[in-house]
Amino acid sequence: METHYIVSMSPHLRGAHSIERMMRTFIIGLIPPAVMALYLFGIRSLIIMVLAMATAVIVETVIEHLTNQKLTYKDCHAILTGFVLALILPSSAPWWMPVVGASVAIILGKLVFGGLGNYPFNPPLVAWVVLKLSWPERMSLFVEPHTHSQALTPLMALKEDPSLFYSYAMRDLFLGNTPGPLGTVCALAVLIGALFILYRGVIRWHIPVAFCCGVGLFAAILHGINPDVYPPVIFHLLSGGLLLGAFFLAPEPVTSPVTPKGMLLFGFLAGILTMIIRMWGAYPDGTFYAILIMNAATPLFNYLKPKEYGRVKRA
Amino acid sequence: MKGQIFLHPIWYTLLTEEHKTMALFAKGIPFSKKVMTPKLDPIDTPLPKRVILPLKQYIGEPSQPVVTKGDKVTTGQLIAAAPTDTSLPLYATIAGTVKDITDYNDYKGTPTPSIIIEGDGTDTWIEPPTKKEEKEISSYAPTEIVKRIHAAGLITTQLVPVPLATDLVPIDQPKTHLIGGQRITKKIDTLVITALDREPFLGVNRYLAGIHNKELADGIAALKMITGALYIRFVVDAHYPPATQLKDLVAADEEETTTLISLNGRRFPIGLAIPVIKAALGREVPLPYGHPRDVGVALYDMTTAIAVGKAVSTQLPQVDSLITVGGGAMPKGGIVTVRIGTPIGDVIESLGGFSTPPAKIIIGGPMTGMAHYDLTTPITKETDGLFALTHDEIQLSGDYRQCINCGLCVKVCPVNLLPGVLSLYCAKDRFDMAEADGLFQCIECGCCDYVCPSRRPMVHLFRHAKHQLMAP
């Protein structure tokens, strides 16, 4: 036979979906918060981001090369990991912090479990927890935007005096005129990026909506009980890393459930847990811890399957 | 009617076709117009010089040849008789000489004994068994109709290719199914005639819905009479307006038992048997091993209905079938009438040969069809499409990657499985766990494969697991 044809199983057509495209979409969605961080905290934030991303890619490539694995820098996941990590660091972080953090995220968070698809915890959050436990003072050293004078984030101030929330204008929280981690201060920028990734279909609405509902419901009940001590719903939704967590960290594909019911419950419980840590925990912002704890339970949520079509009960 | 989803008429006027489909069937992939829409232009082809007719025509008993090498045959002459009810008689589809009876690859790619007929260029037909009678369908006895359907060699391909006569449930002998230990006996109450194709890329049924067929009314009347269905539902594609004939059939019905349901045919896999019943009637066929008749539905497509009408009125066997041709390497796309048994190479030759070197030759549609390497594979009765795809159009799995748990496959799966988890079980040889998680519910539509960002060969893994589990 002179001509050969390819023989393979159906389907013979495939969509344009790929891991690389998915990760690129996440990165593009994170650009608005990054631009806001650059505007609010100056060139320092750019250095942190570049260092984190570069370290993540270099560490991953070197280790994969040393262990004779296929190099995976092309799928953009290492860049994304570094990017997300940079956005949840304070702007005052010294140069070695993103470097150590990105290395930890790639090695401890991703590669020890077998790379993309296998890790049980969100790698940037693993790195964030390691940094937070190792250098607690440096990780809670935040500065006022534009001025570089040391300040407390709204949630930290709330821990000191719960009634202080009246001093924060919602407009400042929404546009990002408060101290806080790089990418989380401007709620507007995070929402723009979130709309983009929702539109491109790399995340589904279930987790973010359920997350915000969980936080909102809890906050509404508390606010209803005592409006003088407990801040309103909108304050909780806009402050801290909540929006970034709800839209970019909790729905991270590998560590979140896949079934609609599972995603809704996952998001809702993460929201409740966030509020419990915020109200009664030792840390001002519980979003990242809540997501990490829920990540451990992800396989359980996958048992909440949709009803299989036409399933007949076995007699 | 029980099991049917009703929407208030006001809501129905506000909804677009896409949303109407979404309301009833929200899974699957909505293909955009850009992705390979079939052309519905009829194309004429000359008579083939030779035909290859496999004796085994579907999953069932092969028929017994009644001709020998060197015999002269005419079009429509019986060349292989059906020894049992589960096999079909085979007829010569061109006039000529029996050249050989030998092994050839059939549509599944396995060598089967086949009768090869060398054509003499003419199209001499046999005399029909009786004079053509101008009788109303209602004057025939149902057993007589079933006999004629079997004699014409008709098949239905809704689930798997089976002879139409064995698939039909006569009104007086309802079939019992054993599903999950329960005996299910249902009387057929609804006859669904679908003008949707199995895939958005195929177009035979949509083409037939758009033109006038004189046999259609006969065929529907015959099917209705045999099954005893009380209601008739025409399922049409909202993007391809049906001919006035279908609307006339609906309008002519005074008791209002006939209705037209228009669905979005670009949403794959709405044309497959199990999703179309869900989308049109809201009923769920029990899976696995279920059949539309288990929920009281007789589901046939336009092609079958027209073939039934032809077979009952003329008593001539089916010798040609309509197929959709398309793909980047095919010289032209459209609806081609071919004689059954024509090798696919000859079909492509008669259309003008490949326009560019093809990478894959597919019998069936690009989503569920089968790739072939042999251009002598014949067109058989179950063939509904012939595609020649270029290297740009196909994408090979190659070295696929780890499942990243993104959940896109869960979003599209029409039978609500977790394909990603199943594929992990199948790849790690945990077939028992895959079975417990519903492997046999999978209808192999390929939606999960289409969307997978890791490019995992899902359908391949599922079929592998099914074969391992079903192996004796």
Side-chain angles (χ1 to χ4, degrees), chain A:
Chain A
M1 241 178 103
E2 70 279 13
T3 336
H4 293 277
Y5 302 113
I6 300 166
V7 179
S8 71
M9 280 286 176
S10 63
H12 308 287
L13 299 181
R14 272 168 182 279
H17 309 265
S18 70
I19 294 178
E20 188 198 344
R21 190 180 145 114
M22 196 171 209
M23 298 306 161
R24 260 203 324 250
T25 312
F26 266 113
I27 291 171
I28 295 170
L30 283 171
I31 284 176
V35 170
M36 262 330 265
L38 192 60
Y39 166 71
L40 293 169
F41 299 108
I43 199 75
R44 213 186 157 84
S45 56
L46 186 69
I47 295 168
I48 294 177
M49 285 185 250
V50 169
L51 276 175
M53 286 193 262
T55 315
V57 175
I58 292 166
V59 168
E60 189 184 68
T61 310
V62 167
I63 289 184
E64 280 174 342
H65 183 74
L66 289 178
T67 51
N68 283 330
Q69 295 175 52
K70 226 180 144 216
L71 300 186
T72 54
Y73 62 89
K74 265 191 193 154
D75 65 21
C76 297
H77 184 257
I79 297 183
L80 177 68
T81 306
F83 202 1
V84 173
L85 174 70
L87 290 184
I88 55 177
L89 289 180
S91 60
S92 59
W95 68 268
W96 48 265
M97 221 153 172
V99 173
V100 173
S103 314
V104 168
I106 291 295
I107 298 168
L108 271 185
K110 182 181 172 187
L111 290 181
V112 287
F113 295 105
L116 181 61
N118 295 324
Y119 47 80
F121 299 106
N122 205 335
L125 290 186
V126 171
W128 182 83
V129 167
V130 168
L131 294 178
K132 183 100 180 165
L133 295 176
S134 310
W135 297 280
E137 300 84 26
R138 284 187 185 275
M139 280 296 281
S140 37
L141 198 70
F142 294 102
V143 298
E144 200 80 53
H146 306 299
T147 60
H148 302 290
S149 62
Q150 202 182 323
L152 294 177
T153 66
L155 285 169
M156 286 160 83
L158 228 61
K159 275 269 176 223
E160 311 272 313
D161 182 359
S163 55
L164 263 180
F165 65 86
Y166 281 118
S167 59
Y168 291 99
M170 290 309 134
R171 199 171 155 272
D172 284 348
L173 285 170
F174 192 63
L175 294 176
N177 266 328
T178 51
L182 286 180
T184 63
V185 285
C186 179
L188 178 66
V190 176
L191 282 176
I192 291 171
L195 281 180
F196 176 74
I197 59 169
L198 269 174
Y199 169 72
R200 292 296 291 268
V202 298
I203 65 166
R204 295 176 70 186
W205 58 269
H206 301 74
I207 292 177
V209 168
F211 203 122
C212 295
C213 282
V215 170
L217 204 69
F218 206 105
I221 292 170
L222 288 183
H223 188 65
I225 291 169
N226 191 350
D228 296 333
V229 181
Y230 298 113
V233 176
I234 191 78
F235 177 89
H236 272 298
L237 288 181
L238 295 180
S239 61
L242 194 127
L243 284 177
L244 193 82
F247 283 97
F248 288 91
L249 298 172
E252 202 268 344
V254 183
T255 54
S256 64
V258 291
T259 61
K261 277 184 220 162
M263 287 192 283
L264 285 175
L265 191 64
F266 174 91
F268 190 76
L269 291 181
I272 300 272
L273 206 54
T274 303
M275 284 306 292
I276 291 174
I277 298 173
R278 275 190 185 181
M279 287 293 115
W280 301 291
Y283 293 99
D285 190 0
T287 314
F288 303 146
Y289 282 114
I291 294 169
L292 264 183
I293 293 167
M294 294 314 289
N295 279 347
T298 291
L300 296 179
F301 290 107
N302 281 342
Y303 282 109
L304 294 171
K305 287 175 195 167
K307 189 193 161 285
E308 286 161 27
Y309 178 99
R311 180 75 146 184
V312 183
K313 234 191 221 161
R314 303 255 153 212

